[in-house]
Amino acid sequence: MRVIAIDPGRHGAIAYLGESKAWVWDLPYRDGLEGPEDSPMVDLEKLHAILANTDKVDVQIIEKPQWRMGISAKNAATAFFNFGRLTSLFKCPFVVHAAVWKKELALTSDKNLSLHIARLLFPELQSVLTLKKHEGRAEAVLLGEYARRTLAGF
């Protein structure tokens, strides 16, 4: 199963999990602050160019943002705004809350754990999952793994 998975957060990423390869990219943002609360806005043209280099995809899945205590208004606004823009890019993406997919993979809100598990499951991506700020990449890859495990046959 070939999957595109997107973490739409401020430090979000897009992952492609193919039959024999996996890639992950940071979400491309437009120059300047154009979104709500002067937050960065995903550049759909650059994202389309990234997706054009992937093989045919069977499933697209996007994490649905949710408001939680401790998240700044700017980060929440970025996630929700970009979620809307990203869902408009796909015809019929699966949408899932973080709590649902993380429970399935025995993850918590601990970003270091997400990085660790992503490195274990995808050793070919270790070189791009080295820093704590790469947690969006790790979570996009793990969201894709969730889709492969639970949406096989769609």
Side-chain angles (χ1 to χ4, degrees), residues 44-140:
L44 295 182
E45 288 180 24
K46 288 180 184 174
L47 184 58
H48 194 297
I50 290 170
L51 295 175
N53 293 318
T54 62
D55 296 330
K56 181 179 179 269
V57 174
D58 301 306
V59 171
Q60 304 109 8
I61 188 165
I62 301 176
E63 181 181 279
K64 184 173 185 180
Q66 53 193 24
W67 180 264
R68 295 187 323 262
M69 295 298 292
I71 295 179
S72 72
K74 188 172 190 170
N75 285 351
T78 299
F80 281 101
F81 185 73
N82 286 328
F83 172 77
R85 289 181 56 79
L86 291 164
T87 54
S88 72
L89 183 66
F90 300 107
K91 289 183 180 164
C92 187
F94 286 92
V95 176
V96 64
H97 284 283
V100 173
W101 73 263
K102 286 183 178 186
K103 181 179 180 183
E104 182 73 26
L105 296 179
L107 295 169
T108 65
S109 61
D110 181 356
K111 304 300 184 183
N112 289 322
L113 179 60
S114 293
L115 279 162
H116 176 71
I117 298 300
R119 287 184 206 120
L120 288 176
L121 292 176
F122 298 92
E124 69 273 25
L125 296 177
Q126 283 188 16
S127 65
V128 295
L129 299 172
T130 57
L131 304 173
K132 186 168 184 166
K133 72 177 186 176
H134 296 154
E135 56 85 13
R137 296 175 185 176
E139 295 208 341

